[in-house]
Amino acid sequence: MSKEISAVITLFGGSGDLAQRKLYPALFGLYRRGVLKDHFAVIGTARRPWSDEHYRDIVREAVCDDSIEATAQASAFASHFYYQSHDVTDAAHYTTLKELAAQLDEQYAVGGNRLFYMAMAPNFFATIASHLKSEALLTEDGFNRLIIEKPFGHDYASAAALNASITATFDERQIYRIDHYLGKEMAQAILGLRFGNPLLRGVWHKDYIHDIQITLAEAVGVEERAGYYETSGALRDMVQNHVMQLLAYLTMDEPSALTPEAVHEVKARAFDQLHRYTEAEVAANFVRGQYTAATIAGTAIPGYREEDGVAQQSMTETFVAGRILTDAPAFAGVPIFIRTGKRLTRKSTQVTVTFKPQAAGLFGAQPANTLTIYVEPSEGFSLELNGQALGQTNVLEPEELRFRHDPAAAKAAPEAYERLINDALHGDQTNFNHWNELAQTWRYVDVILAAWAKDETMPTYAAGTMGPDAATALLERDGHHWFWQPTRIQMAD
Ligand code: BG6
């Protein structure tokens, strides 16, 4: 982590679930590492009328673990938090906010730096951005940055409209569009693996790669978020953003430097080069599905349509699998299979690159070499190479070279939100979404949405399984198979 930063951080959505689960712990992590120290204040805003004291109690509770050291630090940390009841549509409230920020700026000797964080219902993002401008909340003497949460739009048109409204107040260099997957240790580590190893660099090419598979599996269902999820579905919720970002890291050209400009340039090109399907081609390349009721380990799990807040005839997909192609010269023809869903066998984000096996050689047909990157819950990677089977001359069998970060060390490393807020405080946009990336990924996804809107069928899968049968057929058709096929029995990955 880097040097101490001074800032007044204004959090729109200060009483929300995201703030309590992710943002306060992330800010506390930065406090414990000394990135936030003496010269910072956080203003939490939301509609409900809370006192500063009550707000500090909430913050303390959100960050406390059982250690005595953390408890003492949590109180000192929480003393930097202030609460402002705020109606985002009322211009007068912004004046109050501005005055409070100016007062805290002086009190904590902040020097004019402002970080605005939009962590609330997305329909208010545009209103907040325009009021920040009209009520002149941006300062002249420090940095002004905006962190904005997903969902960034609902389709290309709404994303473009939202972008127009925030760029009326902030320029691109001040906007930090969050995709928390870009803050994950092993998502970032893809770049090091790809570009830091001659062994992999040399074969990261269509001549050697058979397929790439990206799985973002969740064991949980829709939880308390049916209201949001019904309007989203797995394609918007996970594919347009998290899956696409991993895909870009796996297929983009080598950036000329690890700077935001250079990384965004190659990522934007990777998205530009995605092979766009026509609506008619969607059915052959994308599968959706919805989970149905099942009993898992003796517990009855409701189907998606039985969940609270879900329409009985809901056509919202809780699973997506796809066969994505790119026209990038280095990868043309290599299928990139993706899948994500709720209520799958278990939680795991992992990527497997399968290399083309030699059909016949000195040893006859050989098993394929594979590289698997474990993003979570365990963090590490495995390489399968063929070795001689013990005691048998000239007989090969796949052997796994396995690396995992030590779980205790991984837990102590900064979590995704902590890394990303740290980056934003230091003005590093590398791990945030540039507008070009969002524009391209929405355009890609819009075609699939349009095709599905005309399709009245909804394949199903039993909760606890890895999606509908069609998701298996999608690969088998061309002689591919899902590399990861978990059974319901818990197995270490
Ligand atoms: C969010 C989605 O962006 O990512 C959620 O809205 C999903 O539906 C979550 O559960 C998954 O994130 P993670 O970090 O738990 O893999």
Side-chain angles (χ1 to χ4, degrees), residues 225-303:
R225 298 163 74 222
Y228 153 74
Y229 202 82
E230 274 283 87
T231 63
S232 167
L235 188 69
R236 290 187 177 95
D237 189 46
M238 299 291 277
V239 177
Q240 181 270 330
N241 34 67
H242 311 322
V243 171
M244 284 292 178
Q245 290 295 325
L246 293 180
L247 185 148
Y249 272 6
L250 292 161
T251 60
M252 70 191 196
D253 294 332
E254 183 164 351
S256 57
L258 289 173
T259 57
E261 296 76 18
V263 171
H264 287 149
E265 184 188 327
V266 289
K267 268 168 83 181
R269 194 182 318 139
F271 290 131
D272 274 347
Q273 290 171 328
L274 284 178
H275 181 81
R276 299 277 174 75
Y277 294 121
T278 61
E279 273 187 45
E281 290 169 330
V282 167
N285 292 289
F286 277 85
V287 170
R288 60 178 169 169
Q290 222 177 43
Y291 61 83
T292 53
T295 300
I296 303 176
T299 306
I301 304 291

Coordinates of all heavy atoms in Angstrom, one line a residue, residues 225-303:
R225 N -32.2 -9.8 -2.7 CA -32.0 -8.8 -3.8 C -32.9 -9.1 -5.0 O -32.6 -8.6 -6.1 CB -30.6 -8.7 -4.3 CG -29.6 -8.3 -3.2 CD -28.2 -8.7 -3.6 NE -27.7 -7.8 -4.6 CZ -26.9 -8.2 -5.6 NH1 -26.7 -9.5 -5.8 NH2 -26.5 -7.4 -6.5
A226 N -34.1 -9.8 -4.8 CA -34.9 -10.1 -5.9 C -35.4 -8.9 -6.7 O -35.4 -8.9 -7.9 CB -36.1 -10.9 -5.4
G227 N -35.6 -7.8 -5.9 CA -36.1 -6.6 -6.6 C -35.1 -6.1 -7.7 O -35.5 -5.8 -8.8
Y228 N -33.9 -6.1 -7.3 CA -32.8 -5.7 -8.3 C -32.6 -6.8 -9.3 O -32.6 -6.6 -10.5 CB -31.5 -5.4 -7.5 CG -30.3 -5.7 -8.4 CD1 -29.9 -4.8 -9.4 CD2 -29.5 -6.8 -8.2 CE1 -28.8 -5.0 -10.2 CE2 -28.4 -7.0 -9.0 CZ -28.0 -6.1 -10.0 OH -27.0 -6.4 -10.8
Y229 N -32.5 -8.0 -8.8 CA -32.1 -9.1 -9.7 C -33.2 -9.4 -10.8 O -32.8 -9.7 -12.0 CB -31.9 -10.4 -8.9 CG -31.0 -11.4 -9.6 CD1 -29.6 -11.3 -9.6 CD2 -31.6 -12.4 -10.4 CE1 -28.8 -12.2 -10.3 CE2 -30.8 -13.3 -11.1 CZ -29.4 -13.2 -11.0 OH -28.6 -14.1 -11.7
E230 N -34.4 -9.2 -10.5 CA -35.5 -9.4 -11.5 C -35.3 -8.5 -12.7 O -35.7 -8.8 -13.8 CB -36.9 -9.1 -10.8 CG -37.5 -10.4 -10.1 CD -38.1 -11.4 -11.1 OE1 -37.3 -12.2 -11.6 OE2 -39.3 -11.3 -11.4
T231 N -34.7 -7.3 -12.4 CA -34.5 -6.4 -13.6 C -33.2 -6.5 -14.2 O -32.8 -5.8 -15.1 CB -34.6 -4.9 -13.1 OG1 -33.6 -4.7 -12.1 CG2 -36.0 -4.6 -12.4
S232 N -32.4 -7.5 -13.6 CA -31.0 -7.6 -14.1 C -30.8 -9.0 -14.8 O -30.8 -9.1 -16.0 CB -30.1 -7.4 -12.9 OG -28.8 -7.8 -13.2
G233 N -30.7 -10.0 -13.9 CA -30.4 -11.3 -14.5 C -28.9 -11.5 -14.6 O -28.1 -10.5 -14.5
A234 N -28.5 -12.8 -14.8 CA -27.1 -13.1 -14.7 C -26.3 -12.4 -15.8 O -25.1 -12.1 -15.6 CB -26.9 -14.6 -14.8
L235 N -26.9 -12.2 -17.0 CA -26.1 -11.6 -18.1 C -25.7 -10.2 -17.7 O -24.5 -9.8 -17.9 CB -27.0 -11.6 -19.3 CG -26.3 -11.2 -20.6 CD1 -25.2 -12.2 -21.0 CD2 -27.2 -11.0 -21.8
R236 N -26.6 -9.4 -17.2 CA -26.3 -8.0 -16.9 C -25.5 -8.0 -15.6 O -24.6 -7.2 -15.4 CB -27.5 -7.2 -16.6 CG -28.3 -6.9 -17.9 CD -29.4 -5.9 -17.5 NE -30.2 -5.5 -18.7 CZ -31.3 -6.0 -19.1 NH1 -31.8 -7.1 -18.4 NH2 -32.0 -5.6 -20.1
D237 N -25.9 -8.8 -14.6 CA -25.3 -8.8 -13.3 C -23.8 -9.2 -13.3 O -23.0 -8.7 -12.5 CB -26.1 -9.7 -12.3 CG -25.7 -9.5 -10.9 OD1 -25.6 -8.4 -10.4 OD2 -25.6 -10.6 -10.2
M238 N -23.5 -10.2 -14.1 CA -22.1 -10.8 -14.0 C -21.4 -10.8 -15.3 O -20.1 -10.7 -15.3 CB -22.2 -12.3 -13.5 CG -22.9 -12.5 -12.1 SD -21.9 -11.9 -10.8 CE -20.8 -13.3 -10.5
V239 N -22.1 -11.0 -16.4 CA -21.3 -11.2 -17.7 C -20.8 -9.9 -18.2 O -19.7 -9.8 -18.6 CB -22.2 -12.0 -18.7 CG1 -21.4 -12.1 -20.1 CG2 -22.6 -13.4 -18.2
Q240 N -21.7 -8.9 -18.3 CA -21.4 -7.6 -18.9 C -20.1 -7.0 -18.2 O -19.4 -6.3 -18.9 CB -22.6 -6.7 -18.9 CG -22.3 -5.3 -19.5 CD -21.8 -4.3 -18.5 OE1 -22.1 -4.4 -17.3 NE2 -21.0 -3.4 -19.0
N241 N -20.0 -7.3 -17.0 CA -18.9 -6.7 -16.2 C -17.8 -7.7 -15.8 O -16.7 -7.7 -16.4 CB -19.5 -5.9 -15.0 CG -20.7 -6.7 -14.5 OD1 -20.5 -7.8 -13.9 ND2 -21.9 -6.2 -14.6
H242 N -18.1 -8.5 -14.8 CA -17.0 -9.3 -14.2 C -16.4 -10.3 -15.2 O -15.2 -10.4 -15.4 CB -17.5 -10.0 -13.0 CG -18.2 -9.2 -12.0 ND1 -17.8 -7.9 -11.7 CD2 -19.3 -9.4 -11.2 CE1 -18.6 -7.4 -10.8 NE2 -19.5 -8.3 -10.5
V243 N -17.3 -11.0 -15.9 CA -16.8 -12.0 -16.9 C -16.0 -11.4 -18.0 O -14.9 -11.8 -18.4 CB -18.0 -12.9 -17.4 CG1 -17.5 -13.8 -18.6 CG2 -18.7 -13.7 -16.4
M244 N -16.6 -10.3 -18.5 CA -15.9 -9.6 -19.6 C -14.5 -9.0 -19.2 O -13.6 -9.0 -20.0 CB -16.8 -8.4 -20.1 CG -17.9 -8.9 -20.9 SD -17.3 -9.6 -22.5 CE -18.8 -10.1 -23.2
Q245 N -14.4 -8.6 -17.9 CA -13.1 -8.0 -17.5 C -12.1 -9.1 -17.4 O -10.9 -8.9 -17.8 CB -13.3 -7.3 -16.2 CG -14.1 -6.0 -16.3 CD -13.4 -4.9 -17.1 OE1 -12.2 -4.8 -17.1 NE2 -14.2 -4.1 -17.8
L246 N -12.5 -10.3 -16.9 CA -11.5 -11.4 -16.9 C -11.2 -11.8 -18.3 O -10.0 -12.1 -18.6 CB -12.1 -12.6 -16.1 CG -12.4 -12.4 -14.6 CD1 -13.0 -13.7 -14.0 CD2 -11.1 -12.1 -13.9
L247 N -12.2 -11.8 -19.2 CA -11.9 -12.2 -20.6 C -10.9 -11.3 -21.2 O -10.0 -11.7 -22.0 CB -13.3 -12.2 -21.3 CG -13.3 -12.7 -22.7 CD1 -14.6 -13.3 -23.0 CD2 -13.1 -11.6 -23.7
A248 N -11.1 -10.0 -20.9 CA -10.1 -9.0 -21.5 C -8.7 -9.3 -21.0 O -7.8 -9.3 -21.8 CB -10.6 -7.6 -21.1
Y249 N -8.6 -9.5 -19.7 CA -7.2 -9.8 -19.2 C -6.6 -11.1 -19.9 O -5.4 -11.2 -20.0 CB -7.3 -10.0 -17.7 CG -7.1 -8.7 -16.9 CD1 -7.1 -7.5 -17.5 CD2 -7.0 -8.7 -15.5 CE1 -7.0 -6.3 -16.8 CE2 -6.9 -7.6 -14.8 CZ -6.9 -6.4 -15.5 OH -6.7 -5.2 -14.7
L250 N -7.5 -12.0 -20.2 CA -7.0 -13.3 -20.8 C -6.6 -13.1 -22.3 O -5.8 -13.9 -22.8 CB -8.0 -14.4 -20.6 CG -8.2 -14.8 -19.1 CD1 -9.5 -15.5 -18.9 CD2 -7.0 -15.6 -18.7
T251 N -7.3 -12.2 -23.0 CA -7.1 -12.2 -24.4 C -6.5 -10.9 -25.0 O -6.2 -10.8 -26.2 CB -8.5 -12.3 -25.2 OG1 -9.3 -11.3 -24.7 CG2 -9.1 -13.7 -24.8
M252 N -6.3 -9.9 -24.1 CA -5.8 -8.6 -24.7 C -4.3 -8.7 -25.0 O -3.6 -9.6 -24.6 CB -6.0 -7.5 -23.6 CG -5.1 -7.6 -22.4 SD -5.6 -6.5 -21.1 CE -4.1 -6.5 -20.1
D253 N -3.8 -7.8 -25.9 CA -2.4 -7.8 -26.2 C -1.6 -7.3 -25.0 O -2.2 -6.8 -24.0 CB -2.2 -6.7 -27.3 CG -2.8 -7.2 -28.6 OD1 -3.0 -8.4 -28.8 OD2 -3.2 -6.3 -29.4
E254 N -0.3 -7.5 -25.1 CA 0.5 -7.1 -24.0 C 0.6 -5.5 -24.0 O 0.9 -4.9 -25.0 CB 1.9 -7.6 -24.2 CG 2.9 -7.3 -23.0 CD 4.1 -8.1 -23.0 OE1 4.2 -9.1 -23.7 OE2 5.0 -7.8 -22.2
P255 N 0.2 -4.9 -22.8 CA 0.3 -3.4 -22.8 C 1.8 -3.0 -22.9 O 2.6 -3.7 -22.4 CB -0.4 -3.0 -21.5 CG -0.3 -4.3 -20.6 CD -0.2 -5.5 -21.6
S256 N 2.0 -1.7 -23.4 CA 3.3 -1.3 -23.5 C 3.9 -0.9 -22.1 O 5.1 -0.8 -22.0 CB 3.4 0.0 -24.4 OG 2.5 0.9 -23.9
A257 N 3.0 -0.6 -21.2 CA 3.5 -0.3 -19.8 C 2.3 -0.7 -18.9 O 1.2 -0.8 -19.3 CB 3.8 1.1 -19.7
L258 N 2.6 -0.7 -17.6 CA 1.5 -1.0 -16.6 C 0.9 0.4 -16.2 O 0.8 0.6 -15.0 CB 1.9 -1.8 -15.5 CG 2.3 -3.3 -15.9 CD1 2.9 -4.0 -14.7 CD2 1.0 -4.0 -16.4
T259 N 0.5 1.2 -17.1 CA -0.1 2.5 -16.8 C -1.6 2.4 -17.2 O -2.0 1.5 -18.0 CB 0.5 3.6 -17.7 OG1 0.4 3.2 -19.0 CG2 2.0 3.8 -17.4
P260 N -2.4 3.2 -16.6 CA -3.9 3.2 -16.9 C -4.1 3.3 -18.4 O -4.9 2.6 -19.0 CB -4.5 4.3 -16.2 CG -3.4 4.8 -15.2 CD -2.1 4.2 -15.5
E261 N -3.4 4.3 -19.0 CA -3.6 4.5 -20.5 C -3.2 3.3 -21.3 O -4.0 2.9 -22.2 CB -2.7 5.7 -21.0 CG -3.0 7.0 -20.3 CD -2.5 7.2 -18.9 OE1 -1.6 6.4 -18.5 OE2 -2.9 8.1 -18.2
A262 N -2.1 2.7 -21.0 CA -1.7 1.5 -21.8 C -2.6 0.3 -21.6 O -2.9 -0.4 -22.6 CB -0.2 1.2 -21.5
V263 N -3.0 0.1 -20.4 CA -3.8 -1.0 -20.1 C -5.2 -0.8 -20.7 O -5.8 -1.7 -21.3 CB -3.9 -1.3 -18.5 CG1 -4.9 -2.4 -18.2 CG2 -2.5 -1.8 -18.0
H264 N -5.8 0.4 -20.5 CA -7.1 0.6 -21.1 C -7.1 0.5 -22.6 O -8.0 0.1 -23.2 CB -7.6 2.0 -20.7 CG -8.0 2.0 -19.2 ND1 -7.9 3.2 -18.4 CD2 -8.5 1.1 -18.4 CE1 -8.4 2.9 -17.2 NE2 -8.7 1.6 -17.2
E265 N -6.0 0.9 -23.2 CA -5.9 0.9 -24.7 C -6.0 -0.6 -25.2 O -6.8 -0.9 -26.1 CB -4.5 1.5 -25.1 CG -4.4 1.5 -26.6 CD -3.0 1.9 -27.0 OE1 -2.3 2.7 -26.3 OE2 -2.5 1.4 -28.1
V266 N -5.2 -1.5 -24.5 CA -5.3 -2.9 -25.0 C -6.6 -3.6 -24.6 O -7.1 -4.4 -25.4 CB -4.1 -3.7 -24.5 CG1 -2.8 -3.3 -25.2 CG2 -3.9 -3.7 -23.0
K267 N -7.2 -3.2 -23.5 CA -8.5 -3.7 -23.1 C -9.5 -3.3 -24.1 O -10.4 -4.1 -24.5 CB -8.8 -3.3 -21.7 CG -8.4 -4.3 -20.7 CD -8.5 -3.8 -19.3 CE -9.9 -3.9 -18.7 NZ -9.9 -3.3 -17.4
A268 N -9.5 -2.0 -24.4 CA -10.5 -1.5 -25.3 C -10.4 -2.2 -26.7 O -11.4 -2.6 -27.3 CB -10.4 0.0 -25.5
R269 N -9.2 -2.4 -27.1 CA -9.0 -3.1 -28.4 C -9.6 -4.6 -28.3 O -10.2 -5.1 -29.2 CB -7.5 -3.2 -28.8 CG -7.3 -3.6 -30.2 CD -5.9 -3.6 -30.6 NE -5.1 -2.6 -30.1 CZ -3.9 -2.7 -29.6 NH1 -3.3 -3.8 -29.5 NH2 -3.2 -1.6 -29.1
A270 N -9.3 -5.2 -27.1 CA -9.8 -6.6 -27.0 C -11.4 -6.6 -27.1 O -11.9 -7.5 -27.7 CB -9.4 -7.1 -25.6
F271 N -12.0 -5.6 -26.5 CA -13.5 -5.6 -26.6 C -13.9 -5.2 -28.0 O -14.9 -5.7 -28.5 CB -14.0 -4.6 -25.5 CG -13.9 -5.1 -24.1 CD1 -13.4 -4.2 -23.1 CD2 -14.3 -6.3 -23.8 CE1 -13.3 -4.7 -21.8 CE2 -14.2 -6.8 -22.4 CZ -13.7 -5.9 -21.5
D272 N -13.2 -4.3 -28.6 CA -13.5 -4.0 -30.0 C -13.5 -5.2 -30.9 O -14.2 -5.3 -31.9 CB -12.5 -3.0 -30.6 CG -12.8 -1.6 -30.3 OD1 -13.9 -1.3 -29.8 OD2 -11.9 -0.7 -30.4
Q273 N -12.6 -6.1 -30.6 CA -12.3 -7.3 -31.5 C -13.2 -8.5 -31.1 O -13.2 -9.5 -31.8 CB -10.9 -7.7 -31.4 CG -10.0 -6.7 -32.1 CD -8.5 -6.9 -31.8 OE1 -8.1 -7.4 -30.8 NE2 -7.7 -6.6 -32.8
L274 N -14.1 -8.3 -30.1 CA -15.0 -9.4 -29.8 C -15.8 -9.7 -31.1 O -16.3 -8.8 -31.7 CB -16.0 -9.1 -28.7 CG -15.4 -9.1 -27.3 CD1 -16.5 -8.7 -26.3 CD2 -14.9 -10.5 -26.9
H275 N -16.0 -10.9 -31.4 CA -16.8 -11.3 -32.6 C -18.3 -11.1 -32.2 O -18.8 -11.8 -31.3 CB -16.5 -12.7 -33.0 CG -17.3 -13.1 -34.2 ND1 -16.9 -12.8 -35.5 CD2 -18.4 -13.8 -34.3 CE1 -17.7 -13.3 -36.3 NE2 -18.7 -13.9 -35.7
R276 N -18.9 -10.2 -32.9 CA -20.3 -9.9 -32.6 C -21.2 -10.9 -33.3 O -21.2 -11.0 -34.5 CB -20.7 -8.5 -33.1 CG -20.0 -7.4 -32.4 CD -20.6 -7.0 -31.1 NE -19.8 -6.0 -30.4 CZ -19.7 -4.8 -30.8 NH1 -20.5 -4.3 -31.8 NH2 -18.9 -3.9 -30.2
Y277 N -22.1 -11.5 -32.5 CA -23.1 -12.4 -33.1 C -24.3 -11.6 -33.6 O -24.6 -10.5 -33.1 CB -23.6 -13.4 -32.1 CG -22.5 -14.4 -31.6 CD1 -22.2 -14.5 -30.3 CD2 -21.9 -15.2 -32.5 CE1 -21.2 -15.4 -29.8 CE2 -20.9 -16.1 -32.1 CZ -20.6 -16.2 -30.8 OH -19.7 -17.1 -30.3
T278 N -25.0 -12.1 -34.6 CA -26.3 -11.5 -34.9 C -27.3 -12.1 -34.0 O -27.0 -13.1 -33.3 CB -26.7 -11.9 -36.3 OG1 -26.8 -13.3 -36.4 CG2 -25.6 -11.4 -37.4
E279 N -28.5 -11.5 -33.9 CA -29.5 -12.1 -33.0 C -29.8 -13.5 -33.3 O -30.0 -14.4 -32.5 CB -30.8 -11.2 -33.1 CG -30.8 -10.1 -32.2 CD -32.2 -9.4 -32.2 OE1 -33.2 -10.0 -32.2 OE2 -32.1 -8.1 -32.3
A280 N -29.8 -13.8 -34.6 CA -30.1 -15.2 -35.1 C -29.0 -16.2 -34.6 O -29.3 -17.4 -34.4 CB -30.2 -15.2 -36.6
E281 N -27.8 -15.7 -34.4 CA -26.7 -16.6 -33.9 C -26.7 -16.8 -32.4 O -25.9 -17.7 -31.9 CB -25.4 -16.1 -34.4 CG -25.1 -16.1 -35.9 CD -23.9 -15.3 -36.3 OE1 -23.6 -14.3 -35.7 OE2 -23.3 -15.7 -37.3
V282 N -27.5 -16.0 -31.7 CA -27.4 -16.1 -30.2 C -27.7 -17.5 -29.7 O -27.1 -18.0 -28.8 CB -28.2 -15.0 -29.6 CG1 -28.4 -15.2 -28.1 CG2 -27.6 -13.6 -29.8
A283 N -28.8 -18.0 -30.2 CA -29.3 -19.3 -29.7 C -28.3 -20.4 -29.7 O -28.2 -21.3 -28.9 CB -30.6 -19.7 -30.4
A284 N -27.5 -20.4 -30.8 CA -26.5 -21.4 -30.9 C -25.2 -21.2 -30.1 O -24.4 -22.1 -29.9 CB -26.0 -21.5 -32.4
N285 N -25.1 -20.0 -29.5 CA -23.9 -19.7 -28.8 C -24.1 -19.2 -27.3 O -23.1 -19.1 -26.6 CB -23.1 -18.6 -29.5 CG -22.6 -19.1 -30.8 OD1 -21.7 -19.9 -30.9 ND2 -23.2 -18.6 -31.9
F286 N -25.3 -19.0 -26.9 CA -25.6 -18.6 -25.5 C -26.7 -19.5 -25.0 O -27.7 -19.7 -25.7 CB -25.9 -17.1 -25.4 CG -24.6 -16.3 -25.3 CD1 -24.0 -15.9 -26.5 CD2 -24.0 -16.0 -24.1 CE1 -22.8 -15.2 -26.4 CE2 -22.8 -15.3 -24.0 CZ -22.2 -14.9 -25.2
V287 N -26.6 -19.9 -23.7 CA -27.6 -20.7 -23.0 C -28.0 -19.9 -21.8 O -27.1 -19.4 -21.1 CB -27.0 -22.0 -22.6 CG1 -27.9 -22.8 -21.7 CG2 -26.6 -22.8 -23.9
R288 N -29.2 -19.8 -21.5 CA -29.6 -19.2 -20.2 C -30.4 -20.3 -19.4 O -30.8 -21.3 -20.0 CB -30.5 -18.0 -20.4 CG -31.8 -18.2 -21.2 CD -32.6 -17.0 -21.3 NE -33.7 -17.2 -22.2 CZ -34.7 -16.4 -22.4 NH1 -34.7 -15.2 -21.7 NH2 -35.6 -16.6 -23.3
G289 N -30.6 -20.0 -18.2 CA -31.3 -21.0 -17.3 C -31.8 -20.4 -16.0 O -31.3 -19.3 -15.7
Q290 N -32.7 -21.1 -15.4 CA -33.2 -20.6 -14.1 C -33.2 -21.8 -13.2 O -33.6 -22.9 -13.5 CB -34.7 -20.2 -14.4 CG -35.1 -19.0 -13.7 CD -36.6 -18.6 -14.1 OE1 -37.5 -19.5 -14.2 NE2 -36.8 -17.4 -14.4
Y291 N -32.9 -21.5 -11.9 CA -32.8 -22.7 -11.0 C -34.2 -23.1 -10.5 O -35.1 -22.2 -10.3 CB -31.9 -22.5 -9.8 CG -32.1 -21.3 -8.9 CD1 -33.0 -21.4 -7.8 CD2 -31.4 -20.1 -9.0 CE1 -33.1 -20.4 -6.9 CE2 -31.5 -19.1 -8.1 CZ -32.4 -19.2 -7.1 OH -32.6 -18.2 -6.2
T292 N -34.4 -24.4 -10.3 CA -35.6 -24.9 -9.7 C -35.3 -25.5 -8.3 O -34.2 -25.7 -8.0 CB -36.2 -26.0 -10.6 OG1 -35.2 -26.9 -10.9 CG2 -36.7 -25.4 -12.0
A293 N -36.4 -25.8 -7.6 CA -36.3 -26.3 -6.2 C -35.5 -27.6 -6.2 O -35.5 -28.4 -7.1 CB -37.6 -26.4 -5.6
A294 N -34.8 -27.7 -5.1 CA -34.1 -29.0 -4.8 C -33.8 -29.1 -3.3 O -33.9 -28.1 -2.6 CB -32.7 -29.0 -5.6
T295 N -33.5 -30.3 -2.9 CA -33.1 -30.5 -1.5 C -31.6 -30.7 -1.5 O -31.1 -31.6 -2.2 CB -33.8 -31.7 -0.9 OG1 -35.2 -31.5 -1.0 CG2 -33.4 -31.9 0.5
I296 N -30.9 -29.9 -0.8 CA -29.4 -30.0 -0.8 C -29.0 -30.2 0.7 O -29.3 -29.4 1.5 CB -28.7 -28.7 -1.3 CG1 -29.2 -28.4 -2.8 CG2 -27.2 -28.8 -1.3 CD1 -28.7 -27.1 -3.4
A297 N -28.3 -31.3 0.9 CA -27.8 -31.7 2.2 C -29.0 -31.6 3.2 O -28.8 -31.0 4.3 CB -26.6 -30.8 2.6
G298 N -30.1 -32.1 2.8 CA -31.3 -32.2 3.7 C -32.1 -30.9 3.8 O -33.1 -30.8 4.5
T299 N -31.6 -29.8 3.1 CA -32.3 -28.5 3.2 C -33.1 -28.3 1.9 O -32.5 -28.4 0.8 CB -31.3 -27.4 3.4 OG1 -30.5 -27.7 4.6 CG2 -32.0 -26.0 3.6
A300 N -34.4 -27.9 2.1 CA -35.2 -27.7 0.9 C -34.9 -26.3 0.4 O -34.9 -25.3 1.1 CB -36.7 -27.8 1.2
I301 N -34.4 -26.2 -0.9 CA -34.1 -24.9 -1.5 C -35.2 -24.5 -2.5 O -35.5 -25.3 -3.3 CB -32.7 -25.0 -2.2 CG1 -31.6 -25.5 -1.3 CG2 -32.3 -23.7 -2.9 CD1 -31.2 -24.6 -0.2
P302 N -35.8 -23.3 -2.3 CA -36.8 -22.9 -3.3 C -36.3 -22.7 -4.7 O -35.1 -22.3 -4.8 CB -37.4 -21.6 -2.7 CG -36.3 -21.1 -1.8 CD -35.5 -22.3 -1.4
G303 N -37.1 -22.9 -5.7 CA -36.7 -22.5 -7.0 C -36.7 -21.0 -7.2 O -37.3 -20.3 -6.3

